[in-house]
Amino acid sequence: MILETLLGLTLEVDKLRFAPCLPADWKTFTVNYRYRETEYHITIVQADDTDNAPGVTIDGVAQHDLVIALVNDCEPHTVEVRLGSVLA
């Protein structure tokens, strides 16, 4: 339940959607998420600058929105979720 509300991770069949609602003082955190036999190492970062637009990369490849397709390939995957600038 905390993953869905605070961290904003929502499983949609074979996709994981990101919509974090974090306190401003949380600059970064990591989550290890398992989908069947595959691990996803997820880092969520709140930017302090305005130069970096929000977005998601999986294994270094930019995604078109804040969603990743989950695959069960038994290989570890690295996900970075970059949120927009934090307003104090």
Side-chain angles (χ1 to χ4, degrees), residues 21-28 46-48 86-88:
C21 182
L22 304 176
D25 59 341
W26 284 26
K27 301 302 180 197
T28 186
Q46 290 199 90
D48 285 332
V86 177
L87 300 175

Side-chain angles (χ1 to χ4, degrees), residues 43-59:
T43 301
I44 298 180
V45 178
Q46 290 199 90
D48 285 332
D49 54 35
T50 57
D51 293 336
N52 294 303
V56 173
T57 61
I58 181 166
D59 298 328

Side-chain angles (χ1 to χ4, degrees), residues 18 20 27-31 40-47 52-63 65-68 77-83:
F18 301 94
K27 301 302 180 197
T28 186
F29 71 91
T30 60
V31 173
Y40 288 83
H41 305 286
I42 303 167
T43 301
I44 298 180
V45 178
Q46 290 199 90
N52 294 303
V56 173
T57 61
I58 181 166
D59 298 328
V61 178
Q63 304 301 294
D65 52 20
L66 297 179
V67 176
I68 61 167
H77 296 279
T78 301
V79 178
E80 181 178 272
V81 179
R82 186 162 192 83
L83 305 178

